[in-house]
Amino acid sequence: MKLSVLDLSPVTGEATQAQAVRETIEVARAAEAFGYHRFWMAEHHNIAGLGSPSPELLIAAISQQTSTIRLGSGGVMLVNYSPLKVAENFMMLEALAPGRIDLGLGRALGADGRTGGALRSVGSDAFPQYFQLLMAWLLDSSGKVPIPPGHPIYDIKANPTGPSHPDVFVLCTSEESAQFAGNMGVGLVFAEFIARTEAGPAIAAYRRTFEPSAFRNEPWAGTAMVAFAAETEEAGWRGDAMRRAGNVAMLSGRRRRFTDIESAEAFLAEWAGTPLLADVEGRTIAGDAGSVRATLAAKAARAEADEVFVMATGPSLQARIRSLELLRPQDAAASRPLPQAAPA
């Protein structure tokens, strides 16, 4: 089972969003040391508990503090931006870290509707058109498939041009988006932690509809899940309490951020015996390393996923890093020592 990391720059405890961004850099350095394949960063806007609205900026920073792990967006919400500017940003990242950059694209806003308006988002209906423009600029600027004369964007380059381009993925929560990824011949990552359903049907739809392209000859599909591991089963579930409480609060219309385990456990106790808590706990992947790894492997096998992204959650930076260490890829036992944290 190939393992990668998805990080949302969560604000833990009494930390600030600025601190959460710096912590993401430390988690990325740890993920590389532990032998994870990729480290992806998400895009969210106007959400108090998450710190990163700009994954491309974090990728640039982390590219200068790592050397082997692939870095990417999970993802860039394309309809919020000019496709040319996204192409330029990621060609720039490819120039900084050749062969290590992934461009994961989502069709949602990563925000509420009012915030999307402030971003000047054009809305998800424009995603297919924006996607094809972006793909054309990436292929043209890498010299792979030049834009022909007469095309509306002929002679407009996504600088800096270079011999390679980022690998491209569509992030999805439905079979419809999975089929779009297959038709376009790019990679797919199913956001199971958002969809609240297993990845199998979407990945199967993607594989059925896959057509080779200039980006990829064969289908490749990953799935992203929230998982937290600790030294014991009890410690794993307790360390996950803040996330579960936040989910219950959100799903019940009482959105709230929990800053400590004790208040989260007290809130969960209020919901004991309810269908909502049973549903949240039924989808939880937490415990000791063996049980969490076995659950991830079983879900990946059922979905026929090529790779699993683990969301780096936990009540503190140290707990998040320890969870990744406990879940480290099995072939990475001899991975490098964890680097010293940079000054805050």
Side-chain angles (χ1 to χ4, degrees):
M1 182 175 63
K2 186 167 282 189
L3 284 173
S4 291
V5 177
L6 173 64
D7 193 273
L8 276 62
S9 297
V11 180
T12 56
E14 299 294 342
T16 64
Q17 289 182 326
Q19 185 176 340
V21 171
R22 295 192 295 271
E23 288 182 353
T24 287
I25 296 174
E26 298 310 318
V27 176
R29 296 168 72 229
E32 179 174 75
F34 298 149
Y36 286 85
H37 185 217
R38 308 174 199 266
F39 188 87
W40 282 14
M41 290 138 275
E43 173 189 334
H44 291 93
H45 303 276
N46 196 32
I47 297 178
L50 301 175
S52 174
S54 304
E56 62 272 27
L57 294 182
L58 268 174
I59 294 169
I62 294 171
S63 74
Q64 302 308 293
Q65 298 201 34
T66 57
S67 58
T68 58
I69 195 167
R70 292 191 66 91
L71 303 172
S73 57
V76 164
M77 302 297 105
L78 182 57
V79 295
N80 292 339
Y81 311 107
S82 154
L84 175 59
K85 186 59 176 175
V86 174
E88 289 176 334
N89 284 341
F90 277 80
M91 288 302 292
M92 176 70 80
L93 293 172
E94 183 71 15
L96 290 172
R100 288 208 289 142
I101 302 301
D102 295 329
L103 172 52
L105 297 161
R107 68 191 307 162
L109 305 184
D112 61 88
R114 287 184 64 238
T115 305
L119 287 165
R120 299 294 188 266
S121 175
V122 295
S124 60
D125 288 346
F127 181 79
Q129 177 188 2
Y130 271 34
F131 184 92
Q132 294 192 30
L133 286 170
L134 173 58
M135 299 303 100
W137 268 310
L138 291 178
L139 293 173
D140 178 69
S141 294
S142 63
K144 202 166 185 178
V145 182
I147 295 171
H151 193 285
I153 61 174
Y154 176 66
D155 266 355
I156 301 175
K157 299 291 183 182
N159 296 325
T161 59
S164 60
H165 59 73
D167 200 359
V168 177
F169 305 80
V170 168
L171 313 182
C172 83
T173 57
S174 68
E175 292 185 39
E176 178 186 0
S177 293
Q179 290 171 358
F180 176 83
N183 290 333
M184 294 297 102
V186 297
L188 172 81
V189 176
F190 184 81
E192 185 168 325
F193 65 97
I194 296 175
R196 298 175 59 78
T197 186
E198 294 211 346
I203 289 179
Y206 163 74
R207 295 190 188 281
R208 284 196 307 270
T209 57
F210 182 85
E211 298 180 12
S213 72
F215 287 92
R216 187 173 294 279
N217 291 323
E218 297 180 349
W220 180 99
T223 183
M225 294 175 268
V226 180
F228 179 73
E231 311 298 334
T232 66
E233 192 77 9
E234 180 182 0
W237 273 82
R238 188 161 193 266
D240 184 65
M242 291 160 63
R243 184 200 64 82
R244 295 199 310 281
N247 263 10
V248 170
M250 177 185 67
L251 293 171
S252 65
R254 300 163 58 187
R255 185 183 290 272
R256 157 181 183 190
R257 190 172 76 83
F258 295 86
T259 60
D260 61 84
I261 291 175
E262 290 73 22
S263 64
E265 289 181 324
F267 179 82
L268 290 171
E270 298 174 12
W271 289 83
T274 64
L276 178 56
L277 180 59
D279 179 63
V280 168
E281 294 195 335
R283 298 178 186 279
T284 294
I285 306 174
D288 61 62
S291 67
V292 171
R293 191 180 292 113
T295 300
L296 293 174
K299 289 170 77 69
R302 286 197 299 272
E304 297 186 359
D306 298 299
E307 196 161 330
V308 170
F309 287 78
V310 176
M311 192 184 297
T313 64
S316 66
L317 172 62
Q318 293 74 23
R320 292 165 66 202
I321 289 176
R322 179 57 176 158
S323 176
L324 292 180
E325 183 176 20
L326 290 170
L327 296 175
R328 65 168 53 182
Q330 294 297 284
D331 60 356
S335 56
R336 300 192 298 277
L338 179 63
Q340 294 297 309

